[in-house]
C-alpha cells in the first residue's frame, strides 16, 4: 500500500532512504560473491520508498529491476523472497520486464526448491506477464491451482483473479481446476504425502528432498475462499451457472452438506445468494432456504452474514425475519464488541421498515445503553427510539442525556434524527423532546450536528402546532449566540414566516433586530427581510410603524445589500399591491425551467432584440421548491441498508424536465433544416411509444412546438441484427382538417441494429400561429429492407419496400401547449376576471367516481392542481382548481372544475376557465370537449 504522506524523516535517516543514494548503492547487486545481507537491506529500502509514494523514473527503475534479477543466481531463500517483492513493485515503472520470465519459470518448475520460492514466483509472474503471453503459462498456472500445497494454490488462484480482466478467454478455461480447489478436502489436498502423484509433473511432488522437511496441513482452508472468488468472476455473466454453484456448495437446507470449510468462503457464497435473490425474485424461496440453513453454522461470521442477508431481502416478511432476529439477539449479549456492534447496526437498519419485529430485542438493547463502547450504545438508543412505545420515552430520554457529551458528532446526528422521528410519532411528548433539543443546541458541536437539531425543531413547528410557540422561542435564543451563518439565515427566514402568525408576534422582533446590530452582512440582510414580513403581515398599525422605524435605521448600514433591502421594504410596507407581489407571494419560478429558457435565450442570436419574457416561466410553490433541494435525513443515509448492487450497474437518476428540454434544444439546433425556426417553445416531457416493446421495429415520438411550426421527432430502432433499413421515413396523415401543413420529412438514409436509434423529423407549418391546433395523425413507418451478407457484413444490392403501421400521434393541450404553473388561485382568479372567461357543462357518464374524473382532467390538461384539490374529500361533490401556462405567449390560464356524482348519471362537470388570452380559453374547452 502506498501512503499518501511520506514519513517525516530527517538527518541520517533521510539520507539513508534517499532515492539517489539507493540508486548509487545498487552496485552491490554486481559484487562477486553476492552478499545476501547487503542485498536484502537495499531491496528493503527500495520497497520502502515505493510504499511511501516515491516514484522512480523509467531509466532508474529499469536499472534497479535488472540489477535485482542478477540475484537469481544466489540460492538464499530470504534474499529470493525480497527479490520477488522488489520485482513486483518495480515492474510498474521499468521497461522490458518480461525478459525475466524465464528465471521465474525456472523457479516454478523445479520441485526440489524450497516451497517458499514458488508462491512468490507465481505472484511475480502475474505482475510481469503480458496479456498476450498468458496462454504460454497456462499449464503452469493450472498445475499450481491444484497443487497440494495451499500457499502455492492460493497464490495461483489470486493471480488468476487479477489476470482475468485482461485474459478472460484463457482464464475461463481454468474453471475445472478452480472447481477442484473449491471441493478439496484436507486429507487429500492440503496434507502432503510421499506417494502423492503429481499434476503435469508439477505440484503433486512439491515435497522437497531437503532432510527433515515436513509439509504442514492447512486448517484455514483459505484456498477455498480464493477459488470461489475466481469461479464467480468466471461465471458471473451466467446467472444460471452461479445459481447452480450456490446450490451445489450450499449443503442443502440445513447447510450441513457443504464442502466449504472456510468461513470467509461461506460468507462470500451468502453474498452471491443475496445478489441472486435481488436480481431474480423467482429464486428467492430457494435462496432463502439456504440462508436459513447457514443461520445454524458453527461460525459467528457465517451466522451474522446469513442473518444480515435475510434482513436486507426485498419485501421480507415478519415471519421470515424470526430466525435471523433471534440470531442477532444472541449476538447482542456476546462478549465480543465487534459482534454486538454488527448485530445492533443491522437491527437499527431493520427497525426502519420492521419496528415491530425488532421490538422483541428491546430488553437486550436496553442493556447495551450503558455499554462502554459509545458507538454500540448510540445504535442501541436510536433503535429503541424507533421501536419503543410512548410509555418508554421518558426513561429513554433520561438515558440519552447522560451520554450525549461522550459521543462524536456523527452519532449525535443519528440520535437527533431518531428523536425527530419520535416527535412525529408521539406528539404528546413534544415538550420533553423540545427541552432535550434546546439543551443540546446549547452544547458544543459542529455544523452538521447543529443543523440536524435545528431541522428537528423545524419539523416540530411544521407538524406539531402545540410546540410552535416554544420552539420559536428556543430558536430565538439560539441565534443570539450562533456561530453558523447558514443556520442563522434559515432561522430568521422561518421567524419571518411563522412569527407574524403567533399570538404575540412582537416578542420575536427584538431578537431579529439584534441580528441587524450584531451580526455580519449576510445575517443582517436576512434579518431585514424577516422584519419586513412582520411589517406586512401583522395587522396592528403600531407594529407596522415600529417596523418602519427599525428599517429606517438600516438605511445607514455599511453594506449595499442591507441598505437596498431596507429601502425596498420601506416602500413595500406602505403599498398593498407591492406587498402582495414581493412578500406575500407563495410561488417562485421553477429554477430548472428558468435555466433552460435563459440558455435558449443566450444561444439565440436574434433573441437579444427583445427583452427576456419572464411570463413564460412556470412557477412552483415554495413547498415544491423546498422538496427539490431538501437533503435526505441523516438517519436514512447512515442507518439504511446499503444496496448490494455495485456502482457500475447502479441505475442513474432520470434527467430533470429542464435537462431534457435543453438536450432537445441542442439536438434540434444541429439540424440545418430547422435552423430558421427560432427557439423551441416546448417539447414533450417524455417520448410516447408508438409500437410494442417486443416488436422488430421500435418507434417513439417527441413533439416540438415552435412559434410557427410543429416538428415531430420519431426515434426509430431496428432490432434485427441481420437486416439494414434504408430511406426510413414516417408518413403522417391528419384524421381531420388539422390546421397544419406538412413542410418536409428528414428520413434516415441507413439504419442498422448497431446505430439504432436514429431520428426521423417531420415538420408542419401552423396555418394560424395564434390558434392552438388539436389534431390526431395516423402514422406509417416506410423503409426499404435489405438483408446483410453474413460473410462480408454488407447489405445486398436488391431490397424490397415495406411499411409498418404505428399507433396514432395526438397533438393535445396537456404537455404540448399547456405546462403546469403554481399560483395563488383566489388572487389570480380575481385578477383574471377582466380577461377571457368561459363556462361549459359536460356530462361525463363514463366516469364511475369523482376521483376518476379528477385524475382524467389533470391528465388531459397537464395543469398544476392547487390547494390539495387533486384529492377529493367527498364522493358526491368536489371542486378542482388548476393553474397553468400556455406556451408561445399564451399567458396564464386557470380552471375551476365543479363536479357532482350520481350512480346513475356518472359525473356532471361545470368547467370554468379564465385566461389572459381568448385562444387559451378555447384551447382548454376544446381539450375537454374533444
Amino acid at each position: 500500500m502506498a501512503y499518501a504522506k511520506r514519513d517525516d524523516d530527517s538527518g541520517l535517516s533521510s539520507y539513508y532512504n534517499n532515492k539517489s543514494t539507493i540508486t548509487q548503492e545498487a552496485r552491490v547487486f554486481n559484487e562477486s560473491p553476492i552478499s545476501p545481507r547487503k542485498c536484502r537491506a537495499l531491496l528493503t529500502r527500495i520497497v520502502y520508498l515505493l510504499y511511501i509514494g516515491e516514484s522512480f523514473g523509467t531509466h532508474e527503475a529499469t536499472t534497479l529491476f535488472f540489477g535485482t534479477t542478477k540475484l537469481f543466481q544466489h540460492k538464499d531463500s530470504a534474499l529470493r523472497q525480497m527479490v520477488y517483492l522488489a520485482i513486483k513493485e518495480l515492474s510498474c515503472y521499468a521497461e522490458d520486464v518480461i525478459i525475466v520470465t524465464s528465471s521465474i519459470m525456472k523457479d516454478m518448475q523445479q520441485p526440489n526448491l524450497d516451497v517458499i520460492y514458488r508462491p512468490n514466483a507465481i505472484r511475480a509472474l502475474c505482475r510481469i506477464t503480458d496479456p498476450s503471453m498468458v496462454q504460454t503459462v497456462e499449464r503452469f498456472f493450472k498445475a499450481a491451482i491444484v497443487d497440494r500445497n495451499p500457499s502455492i494454490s492460493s497464490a495461483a488462484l489470486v493471480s488468476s483473479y487479477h489476470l482475468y480482466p485482461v485474459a478472460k478467454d484463457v482464464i475461463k478455461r481454468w474453471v475445472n481446476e478452480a472447481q477442484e480447489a473449491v471441493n478439496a478436502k484436507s486429507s487429500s489436498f492440503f496434507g502432503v504425502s510421499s506417494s502423492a502423484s503429481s499434476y503435469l509433473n508439477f505440484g503433486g511432488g512439491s515435497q522437497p528432498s531437503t532432510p527433515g522437511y515436513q509439509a504442514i496441513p492447512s486448517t484455514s482452508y483459505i484456498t477455498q475462499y480464493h477459488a470461489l472468488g475466481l469461479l464467480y468472476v468466471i461465471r458471473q455473466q451466467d446467472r444460471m451457472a452461479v445459481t447452480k454453484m450456490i446450490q451445489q456448495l450450499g449443503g442443502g437446507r440445513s447447510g450441513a452438506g457443504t464442502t466449504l470449510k472456510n468461513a470467509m468462503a461461506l460468507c462470500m457464497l451468502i453474498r452471491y445468494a443475496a445478489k441472486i435473490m435481488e436480481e431474480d425474485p423467482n429464486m428467492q424461496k430457494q435462496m432463502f432456504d439456504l440462508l436459513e440453513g447457514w443461520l445454524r453454522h458453527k461460525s459467528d461470521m457465517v451466522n451474522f452474514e446469513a442473518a444480515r442477508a435475510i434482513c436486507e431481502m426485498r419485501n421480507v416478511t415478519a415471519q421470515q425475519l424470526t430466525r435471523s432476529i433471534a440470531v442477532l439477539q444472541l449476538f447482542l449479549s456476546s462478549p465480543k464488541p465487534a459482534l454486538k456492534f454488527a448485530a445492533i447496526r443491522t437491527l437499527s437498519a431493520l427497525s426502519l421498515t420492521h419496528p415491530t419485529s425488532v421490538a422483541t430485542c428491546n430488553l437486550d438493547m436496553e442493556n447495551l445503553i450503558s455499554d462502554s463502547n459509545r458507538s454500540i450504545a448510540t445504535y442501541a438508543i436510536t433503535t429503541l427510539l424507533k421501536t419503543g412505545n410512548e410509555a418508554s420515552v421518558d426513561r429513554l430520554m433520561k438515558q440519552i442525556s447522560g451520554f450525549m457529551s461522550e459521543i462524536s458528532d456523527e452519532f449525535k446526528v443519528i440520535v437527533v434524527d431518531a428523536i425527530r422521528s419520535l416527535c412525529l410519532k408521539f406528539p404528546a411528548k413534544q415538550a420533553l423532546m423540545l427541552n432535550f433539543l434546546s439543551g443540546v443546541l446549547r452544547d458544543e458541536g459542529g455544523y452538521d450536528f447543529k443543523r440536524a437539531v435545528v431541522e428537528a425543531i423545524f419539523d416540530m413547528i411544521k407538524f406539531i402546532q402545540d410546540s410552535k410557540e416554544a420552539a420559536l422561542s428556543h430558536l430565538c435564543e439560539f441565534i443570539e449566540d450562533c456561530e453558523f451563518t447558514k443556520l442563522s439565515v434559515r432561522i430568521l427566514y422561518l421567524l419571518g414566516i411563522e412569527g407574524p402568525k403567533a399570538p404575540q408576534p412582537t416578542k420575536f422582533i427584538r431578537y431579529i433586530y439584534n441580528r441587524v446590530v450584531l451580526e455580519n452582512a449576510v445575517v443582517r440582510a436576512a434579518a431585514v427581510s424577516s422584519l419586513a414580513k412582520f411589517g406586512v403581515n401583522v395587522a396592528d398599525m403600531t407594529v407596522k410603524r415600529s417596523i418602519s422605524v427599525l428599517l429606517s435605521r438600516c438605511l445607514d448600514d455599511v453594506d449595499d445589500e442591507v441598505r437596498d433591502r431596507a429601502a425596498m421594504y420601506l416602500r413595500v410596507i406602505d403599498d398593498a399591491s407591492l406587498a402582495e407581489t414581493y412578500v406575500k407571494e407563495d410561488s417562485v419560478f421553477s429554477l430548472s425551467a428558468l435555466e433552460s429558457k435563459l440558455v435558449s435565450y443566450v444561444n439565440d442570436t436574434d433573441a437579444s432584440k427583445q427583452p427576456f419574457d419572464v411570463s413564460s416561466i412556470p412557477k412552483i410553490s415554495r413547498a415544491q421548491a423546498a422538496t427539490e433541494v431538501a437533503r435526505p435525513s441523516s438517519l436514512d443515509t447512515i442507518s439504511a441498508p446499503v444496496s448490494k448492487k455495485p456502482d457500475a450497474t447502479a441505475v442513474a437518476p432520470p434527467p430533470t424536465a429542464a435537462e431534457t428540454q435543453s438536450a432537445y434544444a441542442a439536438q434540434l439546433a444541429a439540424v440545418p433544416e430547422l435552423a430558421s425556426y427560432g427557439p423551441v417553445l416546448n417539447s414533450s416531457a417524455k417520448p410516447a411509444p408508438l409500437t410494442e416493446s417486443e416488436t422488430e421495429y421500435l418507434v417513439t415520438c417527441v413533439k416540438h412546438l415552435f412559434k410557427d411550426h410543429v416538428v415531430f421527432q420519431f426515434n426509430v430502432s431496428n432490432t434485427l441484427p441481420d437486416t439494414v433499413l434504408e430511406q426510413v421515413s414516417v408518413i403522417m396523415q391528419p384524421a381531420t382538417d388539422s390546421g397544419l401543413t406538412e413542410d418536409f420529412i428528414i428520413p434516415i438514409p441507413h439504419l442498422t441494429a448497431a446505430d439504432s436509434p436514429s431520428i426521423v423529423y417531420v415538420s408542419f407549418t401552423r396555418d394560424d400561429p395564434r390558434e392552438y391546433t388539436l389534431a390526431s395523425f395516423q402514422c406509417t413507418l416506410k423503409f426499404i429492407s435489405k438483408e446483410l451478407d453474413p460473410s462480408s457484413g454488407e447489405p445486398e444490392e436488391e431490397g424490397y419496400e415495406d411499411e409498418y403501421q404505428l399507433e396514432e400521434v395526438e397533438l393535445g393541450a396537456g404537455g404540448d401547449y399547456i405546462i403546469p404553473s403554481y399560483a395563488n388561485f383566489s388572487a389570480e382568479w380575481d385578477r383574471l376576471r377582466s380577461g377571457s372567461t368561459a363556462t361549459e357543462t359536460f356530462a361525463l357518464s363514463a366516469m364511475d367516481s369523482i376521483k376518476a374524473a379528477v385524475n382524467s382532467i389533470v391528465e388531459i390538461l397537464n395543469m398544476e392542481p392547487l390547494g390539495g384539490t387533486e384529492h377529493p374529500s367527498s364522493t358526491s361533490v368536489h371542486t378542482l382548481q388548476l393553474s397553468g401556462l400556455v406556451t408561445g405567449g399564451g399567458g396564464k390560464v386557470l380552471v375551476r372544475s365543479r363536479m357532482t356524482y350520481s350512480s346513475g348519471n356518472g359525473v356532471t362537470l361545470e368547467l370554468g376557465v379564465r385566461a389572459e388570452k381568448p385562444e387559451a380559453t378555447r384551447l382548454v374547452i376544446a381539450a375537454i370537449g374533444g
Side-chain angles (χ1 to χ4, degrees):
M1 182 182 74
Y3 295 93
K5 184 179 179 181
R6 189 179 305 182
D7 292 344
D8 188 14
D9 294 331
S10 60
L12 181 62
S13 177
S14 177
Y15 169 77
Y16 184 71
N17 290 321
N18 182 274
K19 184 169 67 172
S20 301
T21 305
I22 288 176
T23 305
Q24 292 174 4
E25 292 183 9
R27 57 179 177 270
V28 300
F29 297 152
N30 301 320
E31 291 180 355
S32 184
I34 292 172
S35 171
R37 185 183 63 81
K38 289 183 180 179
C39 293
R40 284 202 308 270
L42 185 61
L43 290 172
T44 302
R45 290 159 62 192
I46 293 172
V47 173
Y48 168 75
L49 280 182
L50 291 168
Y51 278 15
I52 65 172
E54 185 70 74
S55 60
F56 286 85
T58 303
H59 178 72
E60 294 172 325
T62 305
T63 302
L64 288 172
F65 182 87
F66 285 104
T68 303
T69 60
K70 295 177 182 178
L71 303 179
F72 273 107
Q73 59 188 301
H74 201 282
K75 301 303 180 185
D76 183 84
S77 58
L79 175 61
R80 188 64 60 87
Q81 280 186 286
M82 283 306 304
V83 167
Y84 281 127
L85 191 57
I87 283 175
K88 280 171 55 184
E89 300 303 326
L90 287 170
S91 63
C92 300
Y93 305 96
E95 293 179 336
D96 302 323
V97 295
I98 204 165
I99 295 174
V100 80
T101 302
S102 59
S103 299
I104 297 175
M105 299 284 287
K106 184 178 179 182
D107 277 0
M108 291 177 62
Q109 295 178 75
Q110 294 188 22
N112 292 329
L113 290 177
D114 194 326
V115 74
I116 206 166
Y117 283 14
R118 292 169 56 195
N120 291 320
I122 292 168
R123 295 187 189 99
L125 185 63
C126 167
R127 292 289 288 270
I128 69 169
T129 299
D130 185 85
S132 61
M133 293 189 61
V134 173
Q135 192 163 357
T136 63
V137 297
E138 179 178 6
R139 71 186 186 93
F140 300 107
F141 270 97
K142 291 172 74 172
I145 287 173
V146 295
D147 194 276
R148 298 177 184 278
N149 189 288
S151 60
I152 295 173
S153 180
S154 286
L157 288 165
V158 173
S159 298
S160 303
Y161 186 94
H162 290 299
L163 284 172
Y164 183 79
V166 297
K168 293 182 181 179
D169 294 336
V170 178
I171 306 296
K172 283 179 179 179
R173 298 201 292 262
W174 306 354
V175 65
N176 291 334
E177 286 73 20
Q179 186 71 51
E180 186 177 338
V182 168
N183 294 327
K185 302 185 185 301
S186 179
S187 59
S188 62
F189 183 82
F190 294 99
V192 179
S193 64
S194 58
S195 60
S197 61
S198 65
Y199 182 90
L200 294 176
N201 296 319
F202 167 60
S206 63
Q207 180 179 358
S209 58
T210 307
Y213 171 82
Q214 179 63 44
I216 302 175
S218 171
T219 56
S220 70
Y221 298 91
I222 191 64
T223 305
Q224 292 185 327
Y225 172 67
H226 297 144
L228 183 62
L230 179 61
L231 270 180
Y232 179 75
V233 297
I234 291 174
R235 296 173 173 173
Q236 61 184 341
Q237 302 302 328
D238 186 350
R239 186 184 298 169
M240 292 303 297
V242 174
T243 304
K244 185 178 179 182
M245 178 184 75
I246 294 170
Q247 291 173 335
Q248 287 176 343
L249 298 175
R253 294 189 61 173
S254 66
T258 180
T259 58
L260 296 179
K261 302 292 192 295
N262 182 267
M264 289 189 292
L266 276 169
C267 288
M268 187 71 74
L269 197 67
I270 290 170
R271 294 187 181 187
Y272 297 155
K275 188 174 182 181
I276 289 293
M277 281 195 302
E278 188 173 355
E279 294 175 351
D280 186 2
N282 296 325
M283 293 299 300
Q284 191 175 73
K285 180 66 171 66
Q286 296 93 311
M287 296 295 111
F288 177 77
D289 290 341
L290 289 174
L291 292 176
E292 276 210 323
W294 286 319
L295 289 174
R296 294 183 288 272
H297 196 271
K298 62 183 179 181
S299 168
D300 290 339
M301 186 193 306
V302 176
N303 293 342
F304 169 72
E305 195 66 37
R308 187 177 69 168
I310 292 174
C311 291
E312 293 179 359
M313 276 172 51
R314 187 180 301 170
N315 302 323
V316 64
T317 64
Q319 184 178 0
Q320 291 173 322
L321 288 170
T322 305
R323 292 185 182 177
S324 60
I325 290 178
V327 170
L328 295 173
Q329 188 173 7
L330 287 175
F331 288 165
L332 293 178
S333 55
S334 169
K336 300 176 182 177
L339 270 182
K340 286 192 289 188
F341 179 80
I344 191 64
R345 190 167 186 263
T346 304
L347 289 170
S348 178
L350 184 63
S351 65
L352 292 171
T353 53
H354 293 81
T356 308
S357 299
V358 179
T360 57
C361 306
N362 278 4
L363 187 60
D364 299 271
M365 288 189 288
E366 286 194 25
N367 295 332
L368 294 179
I369 293 176
S370 57
D371 194 275
S372 58
N373 188 312
R374 295 288 84 185
S375 300
I376 294 174
T378 304
Y379 270 117
I381 198 73
T382 53
T383 308
L384 284 167
L385 289 173
K386 288 178 278 187
T387 60
N389 52 37
E390 193 167 359
S392 65
V393 170
D394 294 347
R395 184 178 74 257
L396 290 174
M397 294 303 294
K398 288 179 182 177
Q399 291 173 309
I400 291 173
S401 303
F403 72 89
M404 279 295 284
S405 59
E406 302 174 18
I407 59 177
S408 66
D409 276 9
E410 180 184 2
F411 285 108
K412 285 180 182 178
V413 170
I414 297 176
V415 173
V416 169
D417 274 337
I419 291 172
R420 177 168 69 171
S421 302
L422 198 66
C423 292
L424 306 181
K425 186 177 180 183
F426 303 122
K429 296 293 182 179
Q430 53 89 9
L432 177 67
M433 308 287 186
L434 193 56
N435 287 335
F436 172 81
L437 292 174
S438 64
V440 298
L441 203 53
R442 291 189 290 269
D443 295 341
E444 293 294 323
Y447 172 73
D448 287 334
F449 168 54
K450 292 298 178 72
R451 182 179 67 173
V453 178
V454 168
E455 289 188 348
I457 297 177
F458 280 9
D459 278 355
M460 293 184 70
I461 292 171
K462 182 178 180 180
F463 297 108
I464 307 173
Q465 292 297 318
D466 294 341
S467 68
K468 184 178 293 187
E469 188 86 7
L472 290 174
S473 298
H474 287 307
L475 291 176
C476 285
E477 293 174 6
F478 172 62
I479 60 174
E480 288 285 302
D481 191 28
C482 177
E483 58 185 309
F484 303 108
T485 298
K486 286 184 179 180
L487 292 182
S488 294
V489 170
R490 292 187 62 187
I491 292 171
L492 287 168
Y493 174 80
L494 183 73
L495 287 172
I497 299 295
E498 299 292 343
K501 304 174 186 175
Q504 296 179 327
T506 53
K507 72 177 184 179
F508 302 115
I509 295 176
R510 175 175 63 87
Y511 294 100
I512 298 172
Y513 186 69
N514 283 348
R515 300 307 99 218
V516 176
V517 178
L518 302 172
E519 291 286 356
N520 59 51
V522 175
V523 178
R524 294 202 305 272
V528 167
S529 297
S530 186
L531 284 172
K533 290 173 184 174
F534 277 82
V536 170
N537 294 315
V538 176
D540 190 344
M541 293 305 298
T542 306
V543 174
K544 288 183 182 291
R545 286 193 294 270
S546 300
I547 294 296
S548 296
V549 171
L550 296 178
L551 291 178
S552 298
R553 295 177 183 175
C554 299
L555 294 175
D556 298 327
D557 195 276
V558 296
D559 186 76
D560 293 346
E561 176 73 15
V562 178
R563 291 198 307 271
D564 291 348
R565 288 197 187 196
M568 183 191 77
Y569 285 125
L570 278 171
R571 173 72 183 279
V572 165
I573 288 176
D574 296 329
D575 191 325
S577 61
L578 292 177
E580 193 69 40
T581 303
Y582 291 105
V583 178
K584 294 183 178 181
E585 176 66 49
D586 191 37
S587 61
V588 294
F589 289 113
S590 171
L591 291 181
S592 56
L594 179 61
E595 179 191 15
S596 176
K597 295 286 185 181
L598 283 172
V599 169
S600 300
Y601 180 78
V602 171
N603 292 336
D604 185 4
T605 55
D606 297 330
S608 59
K609 299 175 183 177
Q610 297 179 350
F612 180 71
D613 182 15
V614 75
S615 64
S616 64
I617 310 300
K619 289 187 174 183
I620 57 176
S621 67
R622 294 187 185 276
Q624 288 174 307
T627 303
E628 288 183 3
V629 299
R631 73 177 183 94
S633 166
S634 301
L635 187 66
D636 298 335
T637 56
I638 296 175
S639 301
V642 179
S643 173
K644 308 278 267 191
K645 291 186 178 180
D647 293 338
T649 60
V651 178
T656 63
E659 290 172 341
T660 304
Q661 296 282 335
S662 298
Y664 284 143
Q667 196 176 58
L668 293 168
V671 181
E673 291 87 345
L674 308 178
S676 61
Y677 284 12
V680 185
L681 301 180
N682 190 37
S683 296
S684 306
K686 52 186 178 181
L690 303 183
T691 59
E692 297 293 335
S693 57
E694 299 83 10
T695 57
E696 58 268 35
Y697 310 119
L698 303 179
V699 183
T700 60
C701 180
V702 179
K703 290 157 281 185
H704 306 289
L705 185 67
F706 294 84
K707 181 181 178 182
D708 299 318
H709 301 83
V710 178
V711 174
F712 296 87
Q713 171 185 323
F714 294 93
N715 305 312
V716 185
S717 296
N718 174 18
T719 64
L720 303 176
D722 55 350
T723 302
V724 60
L725 308 182
E726 294 182 351
Q727 296 303 313
V728 182
S729 60
V730 177
I731 307 302
M732 301 182 68
Q733 294 290 338
T736 57
D737 184 15
S738 63
L740 298 173
T741 303
E742 184 175 313
D743 299 321
F744 53 81
I745 301 174
I746 304 177
I748 303 171
H750 185 270
L751 181 65
T752 63
D755 53 22
S756 295
S758 291
I759 298 173
V760 174
Y761 289 107
V762 182
S763 173
F764 285 83
T765 296
R766 298 165 65 181
D767 296 343
D768 185 356
R770 294 172 299 175
E771 291 293 333
Y772 300 98
T773 304
L774 304 181
S776 176
F777 297 85
Q778 294 180 348
C779 301
T780 305
L781 181 69
K782 284 200 169 187
F783 51 87
I784 299 174
S785 179
K786 294 183 179 181
E787 298 292 329
L788 287 175
D789 188 337
S791 57
S792 64
E794 295 295 325
E796 297 176 352
E797 292 185 6
E798 295 296 328
Y800 61 92
E801 292 188 3
D802 199 358
E803 60 182 41
Y804 192 87
Q805 194 66 38
L806 305 176
E807 297 286 339
E808 287 191 354
V809 172
E810 298 282 346
L811 186 62
D816 295 330
Y817 294 116
I818 303 176
I819 55 178
S821 180
Y822 181 84
N824 183 323
F825 188 83
S826 58
E828 285 295 315
W829 188 258
D830 291 339
R831 186 181 71 82
L832 293 175
R833 181 178 299 166
S834 59
S836 174
T837 64
T839 303
E840 293 283 347
T841 303
F842 300 94
L844 309 179
S845 56
M847 296 295 170
D848 56 359
S849 68
I850 292 283
K851 178 62 177 173
V854 167
N855 293 342
S856 179
I857 293 170
V858 172
E859 181 181 358
I860 291 171
L861 296 180
N862 189 41
M863 297 174 71
E864 181 75 24
L866 302 176
T869 56
E870 70 272 26
H871 304 295
S873 56
S874 170
T875 58
S876 57
V877 179
H878 183 64
T879 299
L880 173 65
Q881 299 172 347
L882 301 171
S883 172
L885 275 180
V886 181
T887 57
K892 185 163 288 185
V893 58
L894 297 183
V895 172
R896 185 177 63 187
S897 306
R898 292 174 173 171
M899 291 170 272
T900 60
Y901 173 75
S902 61
S903 57
N905 301 318
V907 175
T908 302
L909 169 67
E910 180 191 87
L911 189 74
V913 184
R914 290 185 180 179
E916 294 178 348
K917 294 188 177 182
E919 293 84 4
T921 306
R922 291 196 293 270
L923 172 66
V924 172
I925 296 296
I928 299 297

